[in-house]
Each structure stands twice: as structure tokens, then as C-alpha cells.
Amino acid sequence: MAGIDIEGLATVYPNGVRAVDGLDLHVADGEFFALLGPSGCGKTTLLRTIAGLEAASEGTVRIDATDVTRTEPGKRGVAMVFQDYALFPHMSVSENITYPLKVRRVAAATRLEVASRTAGELSLDGLLERKPGQLSGGQQQRVALARAIASEGKVLLLDEPLSNLDARLRLEARTFLKKLQRDLGITTVFVTHDQAEALALADRIAVMDSGKLRQLGSPREVFARPANTFVANFIGSTPMNLLPGKVLGDGTVSVAGGSLPATTVSTPADAEVTVGIRPEYLTLSTGDVSGPSLRGEVVVAENLGTQSLVSVDCDGTLIGVTVPEETEPAPGAPVALTAPASRVLLYTQETGELLNSADHTAGARS
Ligand code: ADP
Ligand code: MG
């Protein structure tokens, strides 16, 4: 097992695109680490640079404390699963799984043993003689995983391994992958553009944009306290409310014709800010409320299953709030929205960086 250390890494393609643009990252030994970001942000390039399939233009990659920046891919101790699985169509499942061992001239008898053991671990028993074309998408995905695992790399690199599966199979494969990674304890870097998948699977998530790191944290941290409005917009199944507001001197912000409590220690009074608040952290009341609140009228409600996403018009601004399905208010109903100060995030209007992160840390300690 091994950690991965990335320092000042840049990968520039011959056409001048800086697909990875100065990254520092540490992936801990045994960690399940997600690289998350929109299409084209450089996730695949970063993974391929770790594997040595793309050459680093600047910076270093260390695996297990060894500098591998100039080491050829086969000698880095990495196993990679490509987005399209890249199985050999003319080879059987068994041959596909053990191909990396064959390249290393491992004896045929040993290869057979590894194939049957790995196939067992990945629920592929009975399929060893089939060709990839005779397998379902989920089975092909597991063969690609089996091949990576059988090669006994120190780190496992997975490029959107679930994206070719349909929705139901993807959920099953997600659970399977999480359990497998736990059981093997292998350091894993998992690329995805699907924020829900990253939140569900990863120990930690690196959110990328345009080749740069925008936030690094646990799923809880990136969900509850996005470090900037880019991450705030990208993470969450229902979009975060991001509204223009103004810091008041009394520990509140004025927003959408009303006010909300906020920790404003590090923000001067009268500062113009972007107020971020997740629909899940707002409370909707149809009766009287005391303290800072937003008043408005229900416009529509969308069914999310056990929850409803209610849009409330507050002084001309639409604000989303989730409520349990059985408490969904009728359109036109007058309502009040409240939130705890710890959930009200303040971002600069200029750069979109989080302003009250330090306040939160101080609050958590006291
Ligand atoms: P992601 O995996 O996040 O979708 P990629 O790493 O594939 O992103 O691409 C990052 C950027 O690099 C994109 O702008 C893409 O167009 C560009 N890119 C990817 N591969 C190449 C290549 N072989 N040559 C030139 N540009 C590339
Ligand atoms: Mg990609």
C-alpha cells in the first residue's frame, strides 16, 4: 500500500492546453480519494499523469515516497481502469484479467489461480471463458476492475468507472466498489463528474476546475461549507441559494427583503456579499416566527420523493427550500424561512471565496 504525493504538477498538451495547472495533493495510504469536476476540467489528464501515460510538464509525482515523475508507466506500481474499460475483445475474461501478469511472464498455472480467485472476489464466477462481448455492462466493468486488482498495483486509478452503467446498475456497482475498496484497503483515486457519486463513495474529495484545485475536503465539508461559489454551485442535488446580501452590524445579513443570522466576525458591517444557503438547511414555517427571517409566498413545489423542493418568492427573489413531503405548502401560501447562523455562508462578491470559514472554525472550537 502506498500514498501519492503531487507537488506543483502541471500537464501541458502540445497544443498549449494546460489541462493540469499547478496542483498540490496528498492521497493517504489506503484512502478512497475522488477527483470531481465538470467535463474538461483535467481529471483524466491528472489520472493519466499519475499513471505516467502523460508526461508531467512541471512538478513531481511520488508514489509510496518514491519520485516516479520520469518513471515509465509499467514500473510505477499503478493499476488503472479506463472509462471505456479497454478490454481485449478477442480474449476471454480469464485472459483479460491475467493479461498484465502474462506480460510480466508469470507462469500459466499461477495466472489461472489468480483469475479464479479475483473472479470470485468480483462476482464473476462462471464467466471466465466468455468473451467481453458476451457480458453485460456491469460485468465488463467488473472484469476491468478485476484486471486492475489482479495486477497487484500499489494504487488503483479509476476513470469514471461507473459512467457507462445505467442508473440502477450504477447504484449497485457503487456499493460494490466501496465495499471492495474497504476490503482491499488499496489507495484509490476515483475520477467522476457526478457530485452525488463522489459524496457517496469518497473519504475525501478534490474539486477541480480548469486544471486547478478549488477545494479539498471530506464529503461533509465540501457539502456543508463550500470554499467558494464554484464548489457551492457544483455540489448538491438541489442547487444552493446564492443571493446578494449585506452584512448588518448585529450578527445578521439582509437578503431578499428580510434577514438571516450569520457569523460575521470577520466581515465588516455594510459589506456587500453573496449569501449562500442550501435548501436543506432552511426551515419553512406557515405560522409566526421570531428572530431574523425571510417572508414570502410559495410559487411551486417539486416532488423529490420523500422531500419537496419549494420555491418561495421573497421580495422578488426565488429561494429554494426542501420540506418533508407531507408538509408541502400550497402555492400562494404566505411563509417564513429561517436558518441557523452556522448554515448561512458569506462569499465575496468579487472572487466568490468563502468569508466566514474562519468564524466557523472558531465557533466549533469554543
Ligand atoms: P476531464 O477528464 O475532466 O473531462 P480531460 O483531462 O480529458 O478532462 O481534458 C482536460 C482539457 O485538456 C480539456 O480542455 C481537453 O480538451 C484537453 N485535452 C485532453 N486531452 C488532450 C490531448 N490529447 N491534446 C490536447 N488537449 C487535450
Ligand atoms: Mg475524463
Side-chain angles (χ1 to χ4, degrees):
M1 296 303 131
I4 305 171
D5 287 289
I6 290 168
E7 263 179 55
L9 190 70
T11 307
V12 185
Y13 285 112
N15 61 359
V17 174
R18 283 179 78 86
V20 175
D21 192 8
L23 272 184
D24 296 293
L25 275 184
H26 170 72
V27 180
D29 186 9
E31 190 171 24
F32 200 156
F33 191 92
L35 290 177
L36 172 68
S39 175
C41 75
K43 306 178 297 293
T44 295
T45 305
L46 176 55
L47 210 62
R48 289 175 59 86
T49 310
I50 296 172
L53 300 169
E54 301 293 343
S57 311
E58 297 159 24
T60 53
V61 177
R62 284 192 197 82
I63 295 174
D64 202 6
T66 306
D67 188 336
V68 296
T69 316
R70 304 280 161 246
T71 308
E72 63 178 85
K75 302 213 164 118
R76 292 190 181 201
V78 301
M80 183 154 167
V81 175
F82 296 90
Q83 189 167 3
D84 61 1
Y85 310 147
L87 299 175
F88 302 110
H90 60 283
M91 288 185 194
S92 69
V93 167
S94 174
E95 288 164 334
N96 263 288
I97 293 175
T98 57
Y99 182 74
L101 302 181
K102 190 173 179 190
V103 172
R104 298 208 302 256
R105 299 183 193 284
V106 172
T110 312
R111 296 205 307 265
L112 269 181
E113 238 174 77
V114 171
S116 81
R117 189 186 65 229
T118 318
E121 284 167 0
L122 284 119
S123 311
L124 292 165
D125 311 87
L127 301 175
L128 283 172
E129 295 319 312
R130 293 216 196 154
K131 298 278 164 63
Q134 300 167 308
L135 301 176
S136 71
Q139 289 166 340
Q140 289 181 18
Q141 188 256 353
R142 294 205 299 278
V143 174
L145 262 178
R147 180 174 61 186
I149 287 161
S151 75
E152 294 188 325
K154 295 181 201 165
V155 303
L156 188 57
L157 307 178
L158 308 174
D159 193 358
E160 311 235 11
L162 310 182
S163 64
N164 292 337
L165 306 177
D166 63 43
R168 162 141 204 108
L169 206 53
R170 202 177 315 145
L171 280 184
E172 276 174 25
R174 213 196 247 184
T175 310
F176 181 84
L177 192 60
K178 176 124 186 163
K179 183 170 180 314
L180 183 75
Q181 198 273 343
R182 279 278 146 77
D183 292 349
L184 296 172
I186 186 170
T187 309
T188 302
V189 181
F190 174 92
V191 162
T192 180
H193 66 272
D194 179 345
Q195 54 87 30
E197 205 166 277
L199 290 174
L201 283 171
D203 296 322
R204 282 192 308 153
I205 300 174
V207 185
M208 288 178 68
D209 178 37
S210 307
K212 293 193 162 73
L213 188 64
R214 298 307 307 269
Q215 186 168 9
L216 180 62
S218 68
R220 285 216 165 76
E221 284 159 0
V222 296
F223 181 83
R225 298 195 78 77
N228 47 64
T229 47
F230 174 82
V231 177
N233 269 314
F234 195 73
I235 301 262
S237 312
T238 51
M240 186 188 278
N241 298 294
L242 290 167
L243 315 158
K246 190 172 189 178
V247 175
L248 304 178
D250 58 351
T252 66
V253 284
S254 85
V255 57
S259 66
L260 290 173
T263 43
T264 56
V265 181
S266 58
T267 331
D270 291 338
E272 307 268 350
V273 294
T274 299
V275 179
I277 177 137
R278 289 211 178 277
E280 296 87 344
Y281 294 149
L282 279 165
T283 303
L284 180 147
S285 312
T286 45
D288 284 340
V289 297
S290 60
S293 68
L294 310 178
R295 311 264 161 181
E297 201 172 88
V298 172
V299 182
V300 284
E302 284 171 48
N303 181 359
L304 304 178
T306 59
Q307 297 240 298
S308 298
L309 176 62
V310 181
S311 290
V312 179
D313 182 338
C314 297
D315 196 31
T317 304
L318 279 188
I319 299 182
V321 47
T322 53
V323 301
E325 54 173 339
E326 64 276 7
T327 67
E328 185 183 304
V335 295
L337 306 179
T338 53
S342 62
R343 297 305 190 186
V344 180
L345 306 173
L346 307 179
Y347 295 96
T348 70
Q349 286 191 346
E350 294 73 29
T351 61
E353 295 303 310
L354 183 62
L355 281 163
N356 54 353
S357 57
D359 298 350
H360 172 72
T361 319
R365 268 194 229 109
S366 61

